[in-house]
Amino acid sequence: LFGLSEWLEALSMSKASDAIEAVLELAPEQATVAATGKVIDAKDIEVGMVLAVMPGDKVPIDGVVVSGASAVDEATLTGESAPVEKAEGSQVFAGTINITSFMTVRASTRSDESAVSRLARLVNEAQARRTKSERAVERFAKYYTPVVVSLALLLASLPYAFGATGTKYMYMACTLLVVSCPCALVLSTPVVTVCALAAAAHRGVVIKGGAHLENLGRMKALATDKTGTLTTGHFGVTRVAGAPRAGGKRRAA
């Protein structure tokens, strides 16, 4: 039962981790060396290397702008939909998109130490933490299960040691095991966490772990700090209305 519950939870965590892997894939796999124009793999980028980033390209690594000025879309990392202006000396991050102009960037980290990689690593570590309810169930079952099994063994053997015959005590021992089996207790808590994490990941919401679900259950109010958290941050035409002008005619506005 414990193995089954842990397998179900691991399956859910893997689905949530798929969303993190999608974030990691946002960073480009290749980069262009500014001095030579040579294309190299992102994993081969060394600290201090100067890279060229064309308009429309993704920034290959965390670094500092050496030359050029441009607007960078950081929505993939921060959720902020408004482009951020970058100039010489500005910090840029792997996976963000250079929008307007050419610029060169000096790498300040390796690909496995970028902000995106650190984010994924922190989330994966947080997912491995148990909730308070799960820890309480595990502590209880750690002592409860051996006690029940020991009592059943005593009931199935001790009477026969004193001369009892028949299968009465064997049936009683089996009944004790069935009645005392903590199936619902062992499976219920992990399964609830599994279902919640999987449902959230399926809808594009990455939750770090079951502990945060328990915190949500106690939450009384929620505050959001920026566009992109509750909205997409992209403008669109919702309706077309006529505007009055001289002569009684109307024109679209």
Side-chain angles (χ1 to χ4, degrees), residues 1 11 43 45 62 91-92 107 118 139-140 143 202 221:
L1 289 175
L11 179 63
K43 61 183 177 61
I45 298 174
D62 291 2
Q91 180 78 33
V92 291
R118 293 197 303 272
R139 284 195 300 270
F140 173 77
Y143 300 102
H202 181 70

Side-chain angles (χ1 to χ4, degrees), residues 104-128:
T104 58
V105 175
R106 177 179 289 108
S108 59
T109 65
R110 293 179 56 85
S111 60
D112 57 352
E113 298 172 351
S114 66
V116 173
S117 298
R118 293 197 303 272
L119 172 64
R121 188 161 53 248
L122 289 172
V123 171
N124 286 330
E125 290 173 358
Q127 286 178 344

